Amino acid sequence: MILYRGPAADGRVVCRLLLVPVPDAMLDRGLVHAPNPVDGRPCRVLLDLAKVKDTPDQIAATLTTYGGARFLDHRPA
């Protein structure tokens, strides 16, 4: 999983949680054709953070706790 902060759209920051399946995971349904920002593999948007009340920092902290090395915070520092 990748927490990605993309370019601003209409004056608001776009922050999304992306799923990047491992090769041969058979999770190719619904993957976007655009590559993910880390290694270029196809991904799926799991969550658009504009639609939740928790902040990106709160979500990142939870995913770091429970996701460990499977989670990457790819937002600019």
Side-chain angles (χ1 to χ4, degrees), residues 7 9 11 19 23 27 32-33 42 48 50-51 55 57 59 70 72-73:
L19 171 68
L27 293 173
V32 298
H33 295 288
D48 182 345
K51 298 178 181 180
T55 68
D57 289 337
I59 292 170
R70 296 174 302 225
L72 175 63
D73 191 347

Side-chain angles (χ1 to χ4, degrees), residues 18-46:
L18 307 175
L19 171 68
V20 183
V22 296
D24 301 323
M26 299 177 67
L27 293 173
D28 59 350
R29 183 177 294 188
L31 298 178
V32 298
H33 295 288
N36 78 67
V38 176
D39 63 11
R41 289 183 289 155
C43 62
R44 171 189 266 172
V45 176
L46 290 178

Side-chain angles (χ1 to χ4, degrees), residues 63-77:
L63 289 170
T64 299
T65 299
Y66 296 104
R70 296 174 302 225
F71 169 67
L72 175 63
D73 191 347
H74 194 263
R75 298 174 296 157

Side-chain angles (χ1 to χ4, degrees), residues 3 12 15-17 46-60:
L3 185 57
R12 63 183 181 92
C15 201
R16 294 184 175 117
L17 183 62
L46 290 178
L47 183 63
D48 182 345
L49 274 60
K51 298 178 181 180
V52 297
K53 65 181 179 179
D54 293 329
T55 68
D57 289 337
Q58 291 170 318
I59 292 170

